[in-house]
Amino acid sequence: MTTSERRFVLGVDQGTSATKAILMDAAGEIVARASAPLSSRHPGPGLVEQDGEELWRGVLEAVAGCLAQAPPGWSSPWA
């Protein structure tokens, strides 16, 4: 099976310290992974704040880094 015939799933995990992305094939093999660190603020005891724009940039960065490592010949069905 050629790379262009393989099916892939892109997963995104939004954590409190990083956004992680993985690209897996249909057999569950991880073929690429990337992450983007995130910051958080602690304005008071027991309080944590994160910036929504930074979260979104983290998703974009992690996904772009993951897709940049995709196997040769891979293409998005949405491209």
Side-chain angles (χ1 to χ4, degrees), residues 6-9 21 26 28-29 31 36-38 41 53 58-59 63 67 69-70 78-79:
R6 289 171 67 190
R7 302 267 185 203
F8 296 93
V9 173
E29 178 185 348
V31 297
L38 297 170
R41 292 172 295 288
E53 288 293 323
V59 170
V63 167
L67 295 181
Q69 301 170 46
W78 300 281

Side-chain angles (χ1 to χ4, degrees), residues 1-11 22-33 66 70-71 74:
M1 181 181 309
T2 67
T3 302
S4 62
E5 295 171 326
R6 289 171 67 190
R7 302 267 185 203
F8 296 93
V9 173
L10 177 68
I22 61 168
L23 186 66
M24 298 185 314
D25 65 13
E29 178 185 348
I30 296 174
V31 297
R33 67 176 73 210
C66 192
W74 177 87

Side-chain angles (χ1 to χ4, degrees), residues 9-76:
V9 173
L10 177 68
V12 177
D13 172 35
Q14 184 61 69
T16 56
S17 63
T19 303
K20 299 172 223 68
I22 61 168
L23 186 66
M24 298 185 314
D25 65 13
E29 178 185 348
I30 296 174
V31 297
R33 67 176 73 210
S35 65
L38 297 170
S39 63
S40 58
R41 292 172 295 288
H42 303 273
L47 300 176
V48 179
E49 292 181 348
Q50 290 187 294
D51 179 0
E53 288 293 323
E54 181 183 10
L55 292 171
W56 179 239
R57 286 190 302 272
V59 170
L60 296 177
E61 181 180 334
V63 167
C66 192
L67 295 181
Q69 301 170 46
W74 177 87
S75 64
S76 168

